[in-house]
Amino acid sequence: MSHAADFPTQHGAQFSVGHLGPFAELLNYRFSVPALNGREVPGKVFVKDALQLTGVEMSYNCFPPGFSMPFLHAHRDNEEVYLFLSGQGEFMVDGEAFAVSEGSVVRVAPGGSRAYRNTGEAPMYFIVLQVKHGSEPASGIADGVPMGKPEWPAG
């Protein structure tokens, strides 16, 4: 069993890159839930510290068939965005449930009580991004600066 700090990373002056391995191996990772006295949850890897992220928390997740979030939870200051990569399931916010599957994107505001589960017969893979509510400028695209045409190293 592995924890988030156990995956290989590389850092440069302006980048960090990590290699978690194939999605099929996500169930080998465990996350200890502080609010549940360290109970370990399989298939969850937080990458913020390993990648030295400063503006977003991010986790890769795998729920096997029949697995569900073991508790409702909300956040004080952060909104979450869930990006569903494969599988199918059900998501619930403040008692309202709806289907999710490959390609679904769900945003939950702080204070929204949420839980989710895999209702399919295959693993459900998804990524969760967590950011401080209201911290993003009106347009992240406007922050981009063109730097010229890339010249790839020979290799």
Side-chain angles (χ1 to χ4, degrees), residues 3 19 33 42-43 47 51 59 69 71 74 86 92 97 99 102 109 116 120 126 128 133 139 141 150 155:
H3 291 83
H19 301 282
V33 182
V47 300
L51 292 180
S59 65
M69 183 78 183
F71 54 88
S86 69
M92 182 172 56
E102 181 178 343
Y116 31 93
F126 57 102
V128 182
H133 179 72
S139 175
I141 294 171

Side-chain angles (χ1 to χ4, degrees), residues 46-99:
F46 283 98
V47 300
K48 179 181 184 255
D49 293 338
L51 292 180
Q52 301 172 346
L53 299 171
T54 63
V56 63
E57 175 64 87
M58 183 173 154
S59 65
Y60 282 78
N61 300 267
C62 175
F63 276 17
F67 191 81
S68 65
M69 183 78 183
F71 54 88
L72 287 165
H73 80 285
H75 289 272
R76 291 179 198 86
D77 299 317
N78 296 336
E79 64 185 2
E80 287 184 318
V81 177
Y82 295 78
L83 309 166
F84 290 89
L85 306 173
S86 69
Q88 60 187 31
E90 193 171 34
F91 206 105
M92 182 172 56
V93 179
D94 295 335
E96 186 173 340
F98 47 90

